[in-house]
Coordinates of all heavy atoms in Angstrom, one line a residue:
D15 N 9.2 8.5 -24.4 CA 9.9 7.5 -23.7 C 11.3 7.5 -24.1 O 11.7 7.7 -25.3 CB 9.3 6.1 -23.9 CG 9.7 5.1 -22.8 OD1 10.1 5.6 -21.8 OD2 9.5 3.9 -23.1
S16 N 12.2 7.3 -23.1 CA 13.6 7.4 -23.4 C 14.2 6.3 -24.2 O 13.8 5.1 -23.9 CB 14.4 7.5 -22.0 OG 15.8 7.4 -22.3
P17 N 15.0 6.5 -25.2 CA 15.7 5.4 -25.9 C 16.7 4.8 -24.9 O 17.1 5.4 -23.9 CB 16.4 6.1 -27.0 CG 16.6 7.5 -26.6 CD 15.4 7.9 -25.7
S18 N 17.1 3.6 -25.2 CA 18.1 2.9 -24.4 C 19.5 2.9 -25.0 O 19.6 2.9 -26.2 CB 17.6 1.5 -24.1 OG 16.4 1.4 -23.5
G19 N 20.5 3.0 -24.1 CA 21.9 2.9 -24.6 C 22.3 1.5 -24.8 O 21.5 0.5 -24.7
Q20 N 23.5 1.3 -25.1 CA 24.1 -0.1 -25.4 C 24.0 -1.0 -24.2 O 23.8 -2.2 -24.3 CB 25.5 0.0 -25.9 CG 25.7 0.7 -27.3 CD 27.1 0.8 -27.7 OE1 28.0 0.4 -27.0 NE2 27.3 1.2 -29.0
D21 N 24.0 -0.3 -23.0 CA 23.9 -1.1 -21.8 C 22.5 -1.4 -21.4 O 22.2 -2.0 -20.3 CB 24.7 -0.5 -20.6 CG 24.2 0.9 -20.4 OD1 23.3 1.4 -21.1 OD2 24.6 1.6 -19.4
G22 N 21.5 -0.9 -22.2 CA 20.1 -1.1 -21.8 C 19.5 0.0 -20.9 O 18.3 0.0 -20.7
Q23 N 20.4 0.9 -20.4 CA 19.9 1.9 -19.5 C 19.2 3.0 -20.3 O 19.7 3.4 -21.4 CB 21.1 2.5 -18.7 CG 21.5 1.6 -17.6 CD 20.5 1.6 -16.4 OE1 19.6 0.8 -16.4 NE2 20.7 2.5 -15.5
P24 N 18.1 3.6 -19.8 CA 17.5 4.8 -20.5 C 18.5 5.9 -20.6 O 19.1 6.3 -19.6 CB 16.3 5.1 -19.6 CG 16.0 3.8 -18.9 CD 17.3 3.2 -18.7
L25 N 18.6 6.5 -21.8 CA 19.6 7.6 -22.0 C 19.2 8.9 -21.2 O 20.0 9.7 -20.9 CB 19.7 7.9 -23.5 CG 20.3 6.8 -24.3 CD1 20.4 7.2 -25.8 CD2 21.7 6.4 -23.8
W26 N 17.9 9.1 -21.0 CA 17.4 10.3 -20.4 C 17.9 10.4 -18.9 O 17.7 11.4 -18.3 CB 15.9 10.4 -20.4 CG 15.4 10.7 -21.8 CD1 16.1 10.9 -22.9 CD2 14.0 10.8 -22.2 NE1 15.4 11.2 -24.0 CE2 14.0 11.1 -23.6 CE3 12.8 10.7 -21.6 CZ2 12.9 11.3 -24.3 CZ3 11.6 10.9 -22.3 CH2 11.7 11.2 -23.7
L27 N 18.4 9.3 -18.3 CA 18.8 9.4 -17.0 C 20.1 10.3 -16.8 O 20.3 10.8 -15.8 CB 19.2 8.0 -16.5 CG 18.1 6.9 -16.3 CD1 18.6 5.6 -16.0 CD2 17.0 7.4 -15.3
D28 N 20.8 10.5 -17.9 CA 22.0 11.3 -17.9 C 21.9 12.5 -18.8 O 22.7 13.4 -18.6 CB 23.2 10.4 -18.4 CG 23.4 9.2 -17.5 OD1 23.3 9.4 -16.2 OD2 23.6 8.1 -18.0
E29 N 21.0 12.5 -19.7 CA 21.0 13.7 -20.7 C 20.4 14.9 -20.0 O 19.5 14.9 -19.1 CB 20.1 13.3 -21.9 CG 20.7 12.4 -22.9 CD 19.9 12.2 -24.1 OE1 18.8 12.8 -24.1 OE2 20.3 11.6 -25.0
E30 N 21.0 16.0 -20.4 CA 20.5 17.4 -19.9 C 20.2 18.2 -21.2 O 21.1 18.5 -22.0 CB 21.5 18.1 -19.1 CG 21.8 17.4 -17.7 CD 20.6 17.6 -16.8 OE1 19.7 18.5 -17.1 OE2 20.5 16.8 -15.8
D31 N 18.9 18.5 -21.5 CA 18.6 19.3 -22.6 C 17.4 20.1 -22.3 O 16.8 20.0 -21.2 CB 18.4 18.4 -23.9 CG 17.4 17.3 -23.7 OD1 16.3 17.7 -23.1 OD2 17.6 16.2 -24.0
A32 N 17.0 20.9 -23.2 CA 15.9 21.9 -23.0 C 14.5 21.3 -23.0 O 13.6 22.0 -22.7 CB 16.0 23.0 -24.1
E33 N 14.4 20.0 -23.3 CA 13.1 19.4 -23.3 C 12.5 19.2 -22.0 O 11.3 18.9 -21.8 CB 13.2 18.1 -24.1 CG 13.4 18.3 -25.6 CD 13.2 17.0 -26.4 OE1 12.3 16.2 -26.0 OE2 13.8 16.8 -27.4
W34 N 13.3 19.2 -20.9 CA 12.8 19.1 -19.6 C 12.1 20.4 -19.2 O 12.8 21.5 -19.3 CB 13.9 18.7 -18.6 CG 14.4 17.3 -18.7 CD1 15.5 16.9 -19.3 CD2 13.8 16.2 -18.1 NE1 15.7 15.6 -19.2 CE2 14.6 15.1 -18.5 CE3 12.7 15.9 -17.4 CZ2 14.4 13.8 -18.1 CZ3 12.4 14.6 -17.0 CH2 13.2 13.5 -17.4
Q35 N 10.9 20.3 -18.7 CA 10.1 21.5 -18.4 C 9.6 21.4 -16.9 O 9.3 20.4 -16.5 CB 8.9 21.7 -19.3 CG 9.3 21.8 -20.8 CD 8.0 21.9 -21.6 OE1 7.2 22.8 -21.4 NE2 7.9 21.0 -22.6
A36 N 9.6 22.6 -16.3 CA 9.1 22.6 -14.9 C 7.6 22.3 -14.8 O 6.8 22.6 -15.7 CB 9.4 24.0 -14.3
I37 N 7.2 21.6 -13.7 CA 5.8 21.3 -13.4 C 5.6 21.3 -11.9 O 6.5 20.9 -11.2 CB 5.4 20.0 -14.1 CG1 3.9 19.8 -14.0 CG2 6.2 18.8 -13.5 CD1 3.4 18.6 -14.8
D38 N 4.5 21.8 -11.4 CA 4.2 21.8 -10.0 C 4.1 20.4 -9.4 O 4.6 20.2 -8.2 CB 2.9 22.6 -9.7 CG 3.1 24.1 -10.1 OD1 4.2 24.6 -10.0 OD2 2.1 24.7 -10.4
F39 N 3.5 19.5 -10.1 CA 3.3 18.2 -9.5 C 3.4 17.2 -10.7 O 2.9 17.5 -11.8 CB 1.9 18.1 -8.9 CG 1.6 16.8 -8.2 CD1 2.1 16.6 -6.9 CD2 0.9 15.8 -8.8 CE1 1.9 15.4 -6.2 CE2 0.7 14.6 -8.1 CZ 1.2 14.4 -6.9
P40 N 4.0 16.0 -10.5 CA 4.2 15.0 -11.6 C 2.9 14.3 -12.0 O 2.8 13.1 -11.9 CB 5.2 14.1 -10.9 CG 4.9 14.1 -9.5 CD 4.5 15.5 -9.2
S41 N 2.0 15.1 -12.6 CA 0.8 14.5 -13.1 C 0.2 15.4 -14.2 O 0.2 16.6 -14.1 CB -0.2 14.4 -11.9 OG -1.5 14.0 -12.4
N42 N -0.3 14.8 -15.3 CA -1.0 15.4 -16.3 C -0.3 16.7 -16.8 O -0.9 17.8 -16.7 CB -2.5 15.8 -15.9 CG -3.3 14.5 -15.6 OD1 -3.1 13.5 -16.2 ND2 -4.1 14.6 -14.6
P43 N 0.9 16.6 -17.4 CA 1.5 17.8 -17.9 C 0.8 18.4 -19.1 O 0.0 17.7 -19.7 CB 2.9 17.3 -18.3 CG 3.1 16.0 -17.6 CD 1.7 15.4 -17.5
P44 N 1.0 19.7 -19.4 CA 0.3 20.3 -20.5 C 0.7 19.7 -21.8 O 1.9 19.2 -21.9 CB 0.6 21.7 -20.4 CG 1.9 21.8 -19.6 CD 1.8 20.6 -18.6
G45 N -0.2 19.7 -22.8 CA 0.2 19.2 -24.1 C 0.2 17.7 -24.3 O 1.0 17.2 -25.1
R46 N -0.6 17.0 -23.6 CA -0.6 15.6 -23.7 C -0.9 15.0 -25.0 O -0.2 14.2 -25.6 CB -1.5 14.9 -22.6 CG -1.5 13.4 -22.7 CD -2.3 12.7 -21.7 NE -2.2 11.3 -21.8 CZ -2.9 10.4 -21.0 NH1 -3.7 10.9 -20.0 NH2 -2.7 9.1 -21.1
K47 N -2.0 15.5 -25.6 CA -2.5 15.0 -26.9 C -2.6 13.5 -26.9 O -3.3 12.9 -26.2 CB -1.6 15.6 -28.0 CG -1.5 17.1 -28.1 CD -0.6 17.6 -29.2 CE -0.5 19.1 -29.2 NZ 0.4 19.6 -30.2
E48 N -1.8 12.8 -27.8 CA -1.8 11.4 -27.9 C -0.7 10.7 -27.1 O -0.5 9.5 -27.2 CB -1.7 10.9 -29.4 CG -2.7 11.5 -30.3 CD -4.1 11.1 -29.9 OE1 -4.3 9.9 -29.4 OE2 -5.1 11.9 -30.0
H49 N 0.0 11.5 -26.3 CA 1.1 10.9 -25.5 C 0.6 9.9 -24.5 O -0.3 10.2 -23.8 CB 1.9 12.0 -24.8 CG 2.7 12.8 -25.8 ND1 3.8 12.3 -26.5 CD2 2.6 14.1 -26.1 CE1 4.3 13.3 -27.3 NE2 3.6 14.4 -27.0
Q50 N 1.3 8.7 -24.4 CA 1.0 7.8 -23.4 C 2.2 7.4 -22.5 O 2.2 6.6 -21.6 CB 0.5 6.5 -24.0 CG -0.9 6.6 -24.7 CD -1.4 5.3 -25.2 OE1 -0.7 4.4 -25.5 NE2 -2.8 5.2 -25.2
N51 N 3.4 8.1 -22.8 CA 4.6 7.9 -22.0 C 5.1 9.3 -21.6 O 5.0 10.3 -22.4 CB 5.7 7.2 -22.8 CG 5.4 5.8 -23.2 OD1 4.7 5.5 -24.2 ND2 5.8 4.9 -22.3
V52 N 5.5 9.4 -20.4 CA 6.1 10.6 -19.8 C 7.1 10.3 -18.8 O 7.1 9.3 -18.1 CB 5.0 11.5 -19.3 CG1 4.3 10.9 -18.0 CG2 5.5 12.9 -18.9
W53 N 8.1 11.2 -18.7 CA 9.1 11.1 -17.6 C 9.1 12.3 -16.7 O 8.8 13.4 -17.2 CB 10.5 11.0 -18.2 CG 10.9 9.7 -18.8 CD1 10.4 9.0 -19.8 CD2 11.9 8.8 -18.2 NE1 10.9 7.8 -20.0 CE2 11.9 7.6 -19.1 CE3 12.8 8.9 -17.2 CZ2 12.8 6.6 -18.8 CZ3 13.7 7.8 -17.0 CH2 13.7 6.7 -17.8
F54 N 9.3 12.1 -15.4 CA 9.4 13.2 -14.4 C 10.7 13.0 -13.7 O 11.2 11.9 -13.6 CB 8.2 13.1 -13.4 CG 6.9 13.2 -14.0 CD1 6.1 12.1 -14.3 CD2 6.3 14.5 -14.3 CE1 4.9 12.1 -14.8 CE2 5.0 14.5 -14.9 CZ 4.3 13.4 -15.1
R55 N 11.2 14.1 -13.2 CA 12.4 14.0 -12.3 C 12.4 15.2 -11.3 O 11.8 16.2 -11.5 CB 13.7 14.1 -13.2 CG 13.9 15.5 -13.8 CD 15.2 15.5 -14.6 NE 15.5 16.9 -15.1 CZ 16.5 17.1 -15.9 NH1 17.3 16.1 -16.4 NH2 16.8 18.4 -16.3
T56 N 13.1 14.9 -10.2 CA 13.4 15.9 -9.2 C 14.6 15.5 -8.4 O 15.1 14.3 -8.5 CB 12.2 16.0 -8.2 OG1 12.3 17.1 -7.3 CG2 12.0 14.7 -7.4
V57 N 15.1 16.4 -7.6 CA 16.3 16.0 -6.7 C 15.8 15.7 -5.3 O 15.0 16.5 -4.7 CB 17.3 17.2 -6.7 CG1 18.5 16.9 -5.8 CG2 17.8 17.5 -8.1
L58 N 16.3 14.6 -4.8 CA 15.9 14.2 -3.4 C 16.6 15.0 -2.3 O 17.8 15.1 -2.4 CB 16.1 12.7 -3.2 CG 15.3 11.7 -4.1 CD1 15.8 10.3 -4.0 CD2 13.9 11.8 -3.8
P59 N 15.8 15.5 -1.4 CA 16.5 16.2 -0.3 C 17.1 15.3 0.7 O 16.8 14.1 0.8 CB 15.3 17.0 0.3 CG 14.1 16.1 0.1 CD 14.4 15.4 -1.2
G60 N 18.0 15.9 1.6 CA 18.6 15.1 2.6 C 17.7 15.2 3.9 O 16.6 15.7 3.9
G61 N 18.3 14.7 5.0 CA 17.6 14.7 6.3 C 18.0 13.5 7.1 O 18.7 12.6 6.7
E62 N 17.6 13.6 8.4 CA 17.9 12.5 9.4 C 16.8 11.5 9.3 O 15.8 11.6 10.1 CB 18.1 13.1 10.8 CG 19.3 14.1 10.9 CD 20.6 13.3 10.7 OE1 20.7 12.2 11.0 OE2 21.5 14.0 10.1
W63 N 16.9 10.5 8.4 CA 15.8 9.5 8.3 C 16.3 8.2 8.8 O 17.5 7.8 8.5 CB 15.4 9.4 6.8 CG 15.0 10.7 6.2 CD1 15.8 11.5 5.4 CD2 13.7 11.3 6.3 NE1 15.0 12.6 5.1 CE2 13.8 12.5 5.5 CE3 12.5 10.9 6.9 CZ2 12.7 13.4 5.4 CZ3 11.4 11.8 6.7 CH2 11.5 13.0 6.0
R64 N 15.5 7.5 9.4 CA 15.9 6.2 10.0 C 15.6 5.0 9.0 O 16.4 4.1 8.8 CB 15.1 5.9 11.3 CG 15.4 6.9 12.3 CD 14.7 6.6 13.7 NE 15.3 5.4 14.3 CZ 14.9 4.9 15.4 NH1 14.0 5.5 16.1 NH2 15.5 3.8 15.9
D65 N 14.5 5.1 8.3 CA 14.1 4.1 7.3 C 13.4 4.8 6.2 O 12.2 4.6 6.1 CB 13.2 3.0 8.0 CG 13.0 1.8 7.1 OD1 13.6 1.7 6.0 OD2 12.1 1.0 7.4
P66 N 14.1 5.5 5.4 CA 13.5 6.4 4.4 C 12.8 5.7 3.3 O 13.3 4.7 2.7 CB 14.6 7.3 3.9 CG 15.8 6.4 4.1 CD 15.6 5.6 5.3

Side-chain angles (χ1 to χ4, degrees):
D15 199 16
S16 171
S18 299
Q20 293 181 351
D21 58 356
Q23 284 286 88
L25 296 178
W26 288 359
L27 295 175
D28 300 314
E29 284 187 355
E30 292 291 340
D31 54 47
E33 291 194 29
W34 289 98
Q35 303 177 56
I37 190 171
D38 292 334
F39 187 80
S41 177
N42 296 327
R46 178 177 183 179
K47 299 179 182 178
E48 302 299 323
H49 290 295
Q50 294 185 331
N51 293 88
V52 66
W53 280 67
F54 300 97
R55 71 179 184 185
T56 188
V57 176
L58 293 172
E62 297 296 326
W63 304 97
R64 302 185 66 179
D65 186 11

